[in-house]
Amino acid sequence: MQSSKEPVRNEYLDQVREQQQRLEVDLKARKVMSPMQAQANALPMRRAAGPAAVAERTGNAVDVRITGFWRWKTVIVPPNAYVVHTRRGHSQPLHIGLGVSFRFDPAQDSFIVAPGAMQTIIINAHCICRELQGLLVQGYVQWIIEDFGTAYRKLDFTDAEDPMRVVNVQLREQAEAAIKDKVATMSIDAVLSDKQPIIEELTARLRHVAEGGGGGDKGLGLRIVTVQIKEAVVSSARLWESLQTPFRAERERIARLAALGTEEALAQRELEVEQARERMRLESDGELAMLKAHKDAEAYDREQTERLRRQQREEEDARRLAVERQQSALQAAELEKARLAVEAELTRLKQEAEAVRLKREALAATEAGDVQRAASNRQARVELELLEARQHILNGLTPANVQARLVELLPDIAEKLPKPQELRSVSIGGSGGAQDGQGVTTLVAQMMALMNVLKAEGSGRAPTTAAREGQGGTSKEPELR
């Protein structure tokens, strides 16, 4: 049987070929149509849109505005962008500088716009060191346009999407070539440990190309701001592990020796500590036993002393209690004797107070009776005087006065009369005689008789009758007493 070996694939060669193809594509700038072609293509669209569309935009990555109509246009450039404006028949640009706006004639003018901001190039260089081992060196370069009048003549800023793309690709390729040349002369340990030689070599080469070598040569009109190497990585994982193995083994040996020394020291220290601990334990047990015996003796002595003290204290308390009880009995007897004396004195005082109270009540009742009788006598005397005065007044009244007074009181008497339950007819007639005085006297006498009848019916007493006979009858008046 024949053993067949598969061919070893060169991954580094494949990466180089892939990068070469990508570089060829990147170095070709993506062009755009000329302004006249763009204007010709946009004319039907502008006619369809109407006169409102007065501004056009090119495919440049810089935000450039073109305003105006036909051949009378104006290019408005942002303040952070470089521009160069040329015209047919003029050997020198009409306008060149940072943020310069100008009038533009599409029939005979042309312009280029490039960003004025600082550019950053990311570098990933696959290198071969002196030991023929693959390394990936990562870094970045930052540059800026310093002389645009020189730069636009030597560099390509015509890419439609990114005017700086071709320039960045060219500078990146030069930087990668410089890094590869420098790494090829260095050992793998030097590349991994010290990146300053690579930075110095790369900075010198890029500045010689971008800024020129001095004298009248201005280079490309660019200025290198900074160059930095971020990382250097070994491409082979097995080689990277092998490079780390000696250091790791040395560190592991040192760590193991340190661990063994630490373990030995710890074991010795643990043995010493254990012996010291055991010795201290034995000493502590002896001291504790002696201390315990001493404490037991002190506790026994303390208990005996306490028991004797309690017995003496109980006897003293018993004697003191007997004396206090005897004194309490004597004090109770004296208090009882004093209480009986006080109660007798209180009884005597109560009796005297009761006698004084009864005497005072009797005197008050006698005086009240005297006052009441005196008041009754005064009232009776006043009533007798009033009756006497009333009788004197009645005796002094004449029939004429009585009749006049009765006439005055007739309305009041009529108002106070009860509501009649039955109607009786009393006939008052007869001639008054020849004189008017006799007629009035007769009328009053008849009215008094009527009043007497009504009073007799209201009070339930026997009425006084008055005889009325014919016309010109006589009436009897009651006697006043």
Side-chain angles (χ1 to χ4, degrees), residues 371-440:
V371 172
Q372 187 175 4
R373 284 191 294 274
S376 299
N377 292 335
R378 286 195 300 272
Q379 183 68 23
R381 190 180 303 109
V382 171
E383 290 179 356
L384 289 176
E385 291 177 357
L386 181 59
L387 290 175
E388 184 178 359
R390 184 179 297 171
Q391 187 65 35
H392 181 70
I393 292 171
L394 292 175
N395 291 334
L397 290 175
T398 60
N401 293 334
V402 172
Q403 292 177 359
R405 181 65 178 166
L406 182 60
V407 171
E408 293 177 359
L409 297 177
L410 279 179
D412 298 335
I413 295 173
E415 291 179 359
K416 296 180 180 181
L417 288 178
K419 184 178 181 181
Q421 298 178 356
E422 58 180 345
L423 179 63
R424 291 186 181 183
S425 176
V426 179
S427 176
I428 301 174
S431 60
Q435 298 179 356
D436 292 337
Q438 294 180 357
V440 172

Side-chain angles (χ1 to χ4, degrees), residues 6 36 62 88 211 229 240 277 284 289 339 363:
E6 295 182 358
M36 292 299 295
V62 180
R88 184 180 61 189
E211 301 176 6
I229 300 298
W240 176 246
R277 187 181 296 141
S284 178
R339 186 181 65 79
L363 291 176

Side-chain angles (χ1 to χ4, degrees), residues 1 8 153 179 188 190-191 196 230 242 316 372 393 408 416 433 442 446 450:
M1 295 179 63
V8 178
R153 292 186 177 92
I179 293 174
I188 189 171
V191 173
Q196 190 61 31
K230 296 195 301 182
S242 299
E316 292 178 358
Q372 187 175 4
I393 292 171
E408 293 177 359
K416 296 180 180 181
T442 303
Q446 291 176 357
L450 179 59

Side-chain angles (χ1 to χ4, degrees), residues 274-289:
E274 187 66 24
Q275 292 176 357
R277 187 181 296 141
E278 185 67 19
R279 185 168 52 254
M280 291 175 61
R281 187 180 64 80
L282 294 175
E283 293 176 357
S284 178
D285 291 342
E287 292 178 357
L288 287 176

Side-chain angles (χ1 to χ4, degrees), residues 163-217:
M164 296 298 191
R165 188 180 65 84
V166 176
V167 181
N168 287 331
V169 170
Q170 294 172 350
L171 291 177
R172 183 173 65 246
E173 290 301 318
Q174 294 179 9
E176 289 183 3
I179 293 174
K180 290 180 180 181
D181 292 344
K182 185 62 178 178
V183 171
T185 61
M186 298 174 64
S187 64
I188 189 171
D189 294 333
V191 173
L192 295 177
S193 60
D194 187 10
K195 303 178 182 63
Q196 190 61 31
I198 303 176
I199 296 175
E200 293 176 355
E201 180 67 19
L202 179 59
T203 304
R205 289 198 183 186
L206 289 179
R207 283 183 177 174
H208 180 75
V209 173
E211 301 176 6
D217 185 12

Side-chain angles (χ1 to χ4, degrees), residues 35-36 39 66-67 69-75 85-87 102-111:
M36 292 299 295
Q39 181 180 4
I66 302 177
T67 61
F69 175 72
W70 195 32
R71 297 181 63 178
W72 296 276
K73 295 185 178 182
T74 301
V75 177
H85 173 214
T86 60
R87 180 168 293 177
F102 51 89
R103 293 190 179 278
F104 175 68
D105 184 2
Q108 57 182 355
D109 290 357
S110 178
F111 67 91

Side-chain angles (χ1 to χ4, degrees), residues 41-57:
N41 294 335
L43 183 59
M45 299 176 61
R46 186 166 61 249
R47 289 177 179 177
V54 296
E56 299 178 7
R57 286 183 180 270

Side-chain angles (χ1 to χ4, degrees), residues 290-306:
M290 293 178 61
L291 182 61
K292 185 176 181 181
H294 182 67
K295 292 294 182 182
D296 292 340
E298 290 182 353
Y300 179 78
D301 295 340
R302 188 167 53 254
E303 289 177 359
Q304 295 298 328
T305 304
E306 183 65 19

